[in-house]
Amino acid sequence: MWEAAFLIFMLMKGLIIFVLIISSFISLWAQPTFNVRTRLGFPAATFSGVIATDSCYFVTGIVADTVPPYRTGALFAKFDLEGNPTLVKTLSSTTHTYETWLPTLLEAPDGLWVSGYALLPEMRGILIHYNFNGDTLETFPFFNYYYPAKTFISPKGMAISADKFVIASDIESIGLRANISLVCMDKSGVISWNNSLGGNLREVAGSIIPTINNNYLVGGRKTNSGIVFQNFTSQTWLFEVDTTGQIIWQYFSPSDQLLEAAYGLYQEPDGSIVVATAKGWEDPTNPHYHALRWHNYIFKLDADRQFDWGWELYSPFFTTQTDFNKLIACTDGSGYVAAGLSGIGTTPTNGIYWGRVSKVSPQGDSIWDRHYAFPIGTDFPFHELYDIKETPDGGFILCGQSVNNYADSFPQQSWLLKLDAQGCLVPGCGLVPLEEPASQEPPAMLLYPNPASDWLSVHLGEAGAEGQLRIVDMQGRLVLNFEAPLGNTTYVLPLTGLPPGIYTLQWLSAGRLVRAEQLVVAHK
């Protein structure tokens, strides 16, 4: 009797688990995703900050003006939940420039705030206050700690606590050194304090966040790179400052390791700290001028600031610019997601950089790792993600830039990317194994959307040597051809030049056809 009851119980338990798994897959497929690469009508544009709401996305960034002398201006834009722009405004001038380059965008009840710098003509930091319609309400200046002797200042991060902003910037100090500047300013532009932190090395700012005890946690880097040309030192530098700008404690990563600045920071309620950065090595190829080359890296310190775990994300090619730019914690406690860029190869004259989004568990285990790229351009394809936020549906919204020099008429374009909870632009990409099982079934290739209009996203679970994606028409004629050298990657292919119709997308490796899928092009 009890055996039958136990069997029924196990069957019901299995059924419940199956239903939950299927429900989770359905919910992921129901999450909207999109990819937007646009200039918004300007000669060039870049998105650097994004805010997610339940009705729209706000982004800030930089544009090049459409009238001579083509100065740069600060950008404010609003997109609906499908990725369509509904509002675009700029803060610009024919006599000076405004630039808001990095993910400093913050939301407050009275609007949106972002920091950057301006050239008027001398350089100064600026704090910009927008309302939710993108109107510029105020701009407040702040200066290099050593002004007027030194003017260079470049904000890297901003935090708000008790209606006061603390802005972390790179500044030039006396003796051609670089220091970290911290400026505390209220919403009326009144500066409480302005500190310069550093010594005889180069100190570089990375990020700043409020702490659990209402102070500020600053992430940066101490290095002799730029002072010497070999035998480099480079340490991640973390320190907490109180509301008067005084340092409470400092942490330096081990001196026998080469680590970049802490560009992504998160502090758990227990005081532990998660850092997104890069880990590197010294390349002695040139015997006189060595180079630092990096791969993406996330590590965690416990509440006593002792090393807990580290996750090294290797890339096919170590580059001088690989890094993460932002890190967030998932609201469901499932882990941390970092966004940035990764080097995957070289052209004859430059590196190849693709956007990278990676999720790690609270224990430091890899959950997923995605690459995104527009495989167009013949030199210096550069795709970078600056900011990431979790969306109300459990997915992610990211922004950055996509650059393809010598190929596009307008090479530098802004980039807005909506992913599902698995980091997928193509629904179901999380179900594709990173290594295909040994079978006769060809490796997976997912297309989205299909029918497609201006862009087609193609996810490859793996890629062999000399990978290519080709689009051929019904007569078998080649109409488009793209390089696809890396697996676990989503390639975003432009279709704007293709007439509506039915095509075949072919995936080749070393000249051999791996898989083919029908593609329908139907322009809106």
Side-chain angles (χ1 to χ4, degrees):
M1 187 75 174
W2 67 268
E3 294 92 340
F6 178 75
L7 179 60
I8 293 173
F9 169 76
M10 293 302 294
L11 289 173
M12 290 298 296
K13 182 180 179 181
L15 179 61
I16 292 171
I17 294 173
F18 176 76
V19 170
L20 289 174
I21 292 173
I22 294 299
S23 299
S24 66
F25 288 165
I26 292 173
S27 66
L28 287 177
W29 278 79
Q31 287 180 330
T33 65
F34 61 76
N35 165 80
V36 176
R37 182 176 186 259
T38 177
R39 297 179 291 111
L40 295 173
F42 297 94
T46 294
F47 292 155
S48 57
V50 63
I51 295 290
T53 75
D54 57 4
S55 61
C56 69
Y57 303 113
F58 295 106
V59 297
T60 53
I62 310 167
V63 296
D65 206 347
T66 56
V67 296
Y70 306 108
R71 296 186 182 275
T72 53
L75 168 70
F76 180 102
K78 183 178 177 181
F79 287 79
D80 64 23
L81 298 182
E82 286 73 46
N84 302 302
T86 60
L87 182 150
V88 177
K89 294 185 178 181
T90 61
L91 173 62
S92 59
S93 168
T94 58
T95 59
H96 47 266
T97 67
Y98 297 96
E99 297 193 4
T100 50
W101 259 111
L102 291 171
T104 62
L105 179 62
L106 297 175
E107 182 181 12
D110 58 353
L112 301 174
W113 298 77
V114 65
S115 61
Y117 61 82
L119 299 173
L120 304 171
E122 64 183 8
M123 197 172 192
R124 65 194 65 190
I126 52 169
L127 175 64
I128 304 173
H129 182 198
Y130 296 111
N131 65 19
F132 291 104
N133 291 318
D135 301 311
T136 303
L137 302 181
E138 297 101 6
T139 61
F140 301 116
F142 56 96
F143 294 88
N144 185 313
Y145 177 84
Y146 300 99
Y147 179 86
K150 300 293 182 180
T151 59
F152 177 83
I153 185 167
S154 179
K156 293 293 189 68
M158 183 167 71
I160 184 172
S161 179
D163 282 342
K164 285 194 174 183
F165 300 95
V166 176
I167 304 167
S169 305
D170 289 341
I171 61 170
E172 181 186 357
S173 64
I174 303 300
L176 299 178
R177 294 290 192 263
N179 285 169
I180 295 177
S181 162
L182 296 180
V183 174
C184 181
M185 181 187 300
D186 67 18
K187 290 187 174 182
S188 299
V190 177
I191 294 176
S192 303
W193 42 266
N194 183 353
N195 294 344
S196 175
L197 305 169
N200 294 325
L201 296 176
R202 288 183 61 243
E203 286 81 23
V204 179
S207 55
I208 181 171
I209 60 172
T211 64
I212 56 176
N213 56 352
N214 298 316
N215 288 326
Y216 301 93
L217 176 61
V218 183
R221 172 192 181 200
K222 276 183 175 285
T223 181
N224 63 1
S225 174
I227 302 173
V228 300
F229 300 104
Q230 52 186 291
N231 299 318
F232 295 126
T233 63
S234 184
Q235 294 174 275
T236 296
W237 181 24
L238 305 178
F239 57 93
E240 181 179 348
V241 297
D242 63 19
T243 55
T244 66
Q246 300 303 306
I247 293 180
I248 300 172
W249 57 259
Q250 301 182 71
Y251 165 86
F252 297 97
S253 60
S255 59
D256 60 349
Q257 299 178 8
L258 295 172
L259 265 65
E260 251 282 14
Y263 291 112
L265 278 177
Y266 181 79
Q267 187 176 39
E268 289 285 2
D270 66 358
S272 58
I273 301 168
V274 183
V275 179
T277 180
K279 194 171 186 178
W281 62 286
E282 185 169 337
D283 180 0
T285 302
N286 184 318
H288 303 291
Y289 301 96
H290 292 186
L292 285 172
R293 300 192 179 277
W294 308 97
H295 59 261
N296 304 97
Y297 183 53
I298 301 174
F299 69 92
K300 184 177 182 180
L301 304 178
D302 65 20
D304 297 318
R305 296 183 291 280
Q306 300 300 307
F307 183 82
D308 188 0
W309 51 257
W311 181 32
E312 299 183 34
L313 293 86
Y314 290 96
S315 301
F317 189 79
F318 286 66
T319 69
T320 58
Q321 293 180 276
T322 293
D323 216 330
F324 281 128
N325 290 315
K326 194 66 178 285
L327 177 137
I328 61 172
C330 298
T331 55
D332 63 0
S334 60
Y336 312 96
V337 181
L341 76 164
S342 179
I344 66 98
T346 61
T347 68
T349 56
N350 286 298
I352 301 173
Y353 297 91
W354 288 356
R356 190 171 201 170
V357 191
S358 310
K359 183 175 182 180
V360 62
S361 77
Q363 295 75 38
D365 300 313
S366 172
I367 296 179
W368 46 256
D369 181 29
R370 316 282 185 223
H371 281 95
Y372 288 93
F374 299 84
I376 52 180
T378 57
D379 199 16
F380 196 45
F382 189 93
H383 313 294
E384 182 168 14
L385 295 165
Y386 288 118
D387 200 3
I388 178 172
K389 297 292 192 307
E390 193 171 14
T391 54
D393 65 1
F396 304 96
I397 186 76
L398 304 94
C399 70
Q401 65 171 329
S402 172
V403 180
N404 284 278
N405 286 327
Y406 318 120
D408 295 344
S409 299
F410 303 98
Q412 187 174 25
Q413 302 200 37
S414 55
W415 190 13
L416 190 66
L417 196 60
K418 171 62 172 64
L419 308 178
D420 67 18
Q422 295 296 314
C424 296
L425 177 60
V426 178
C429 88
L431 306 179
V432 176
L434 301 185
E435 296 182 3
E436 300 293 336
S439 69
Q440 299 303 313
E441 181 68 18
M445 178 175 68
L446 303 180
L447 282 61
Y448 181 81
N450 194 10
S453 179
D454 296 331
W455 299 95
L456 173 69
S457 299
V458 182
H459 181 80
L460 304 181
E462 66 171 20
E466 303 174 19
Q468 286 185 313
L469 291 171
R470 304 195 314 179
I471 297 177
V472 299
D473 63 17
M474 293 295 289
Q475 287 72 45
R477 295 173 297 195
L478 177 66
V479 293
L480 288 174
N481 185 49
F482 306 95
E483 300 296 322
L486 188 65
N488 190 30
T489 297
T490 297
Y491 297 89
V492 185
L493 311 182
L495 303 178
T496 50
L498 288 185
I502 299 175
Y503 299 84
T504 299
L505 177 68
Q506 299 176 340
W507 173 17
L508 289 83
S509 177
R512 179 182 63 86
L513 181 64
V514 177
R515 196 171 189 117
E517 299 285 350
Q518 186 181 88
L519 166 65
V520 178
V521 176
H523 297 299
K524 297 178 182 178

